[in-house]
Every structure is written in structure tokens, then in C-alpha cells.
Amino acid sequence: MRYVAISESIGRGRGLVMPEDRERLDIREAADRKGCSPNTIYHLVQTGALASELAFVVGRRGRVRKHLIRVEDLEAHFSTEETERYIAAIDASAPPLTAEQKARVAAVFKSARRR
């Protein structure tokens, strides 16, 4: 596997060395890409729901450790395809609403519209 040194800034990862054939993001970049908090991404990494690799990166304060996340893993975790299958399974197993339940739901919507 060939490695390439990235000389330009990628987010906050200056001087990052990574395999040429795989793009990786740090936690902040992954959060920006998915529109969520870095704490969310960090939590997913810590619980093992999202795979990452620890790498040493040369930064302003010397060498620091960073979690690097493969773009493929990030996209797979936030995939809407899996979520849609999960929702479809729940929808298929749910019994239909009774007439009484439908009337209650309609009443809630009518009262919310009046406000």
C-alpha cells in the first residue's frame, strides 16, 4: 500500500499521513459532513458503533492522537437505506388503527390547528 503525505490543511489535520487509496476524516470533519455534533461522532466511536483508527498527527502542539474514520464507514452508518428498512419492518408488523384510535388522532390534530 502506498502512503501519501498531505501537505495542505484538511480541516484541522495538518501533516497527516494516510493511505492514498482511502479517504479518512477526523471527528470534527465527520461531524461537519453529517451535520451533527462532534460529540455525537465521538460517542459512536467510543461505543464501537462507528469504526475508527487512532493515528498520530503533527499539529500546532506537536504530535497528537486523532481518531480517523473511513468515509465508507461513516456513510454506511448514516445510511438512510437501513433506516428505511427498519421503519418498513415496524410498519409491516403494526396492526391497523381502530376507528376509535383514528378519531382520537383526528381530535388531537384539530385542537392543535385551532391554536
Side-chain angles (χ1 to χ4, degrees), residues 8-71:
E8 294 182 13
S9 167
I10 296 180
R12 295 175 181 253
R14 298 179 193 279
L16 181 65
V17 177
M18 66 181 184
E20 183 176 15
D21 61 341
R22 294 183 178 174
E23 184 181 356
R24 289 180 171 77
L25 305 170
D26 66 14
I27 288 180
R28 185 176 306 266
E29 292 165 343
D32 289 344
R33 185 175 184 133
K34 289 299 164 189
C36 63
S37 166
N39 290 339
T40 301
I41 301 295
Y42 186 74
H43 176 73
L44 291 171
V45 168
Q46 290 300 313
T47 58
L50 185 59
S52 74
E53 297 174 11
L54 278 175
F56 287 96
V57 178
V58 179
R60 285 182 257 168
R61 292 182 256 164
R63 286 178 48 169
V64 294
R65 287 183 350 161
K66 279 194 171 188
H67 288 278
L68 298 179
I69 301 161
R70 288 185 357 187
V71 172

Side-chain angles (χ1 to χ4, degrees), residues 15 30 51 77 114:
H77 183 79
R114 291 181 194 158

Side-chain angles (χ1 to χ4, degrees), residues 60-99:
R60 285 182 257 168
R61 292 182 256 164
R63 286 178 48 169
V64 294
R65 287 183 350 161
K66 279 194 171 188
H67 288 278
L68 298 179
I69 301 161
R70 288 185 357 187
V71 172
E72 300 91 35
D73 293 341
L74 183 68
E75 295 300 331
H77 183 79
F78 283 91
S79 165
T80 58
E81 211 173 277
E82 185 177 326
T83 304
E84 288 173 6
R85 280 197 308 264
Y86 179 72
I87 291 171
I90 291 173
D91 189 36
S93 67
L97 293 176
T98 65

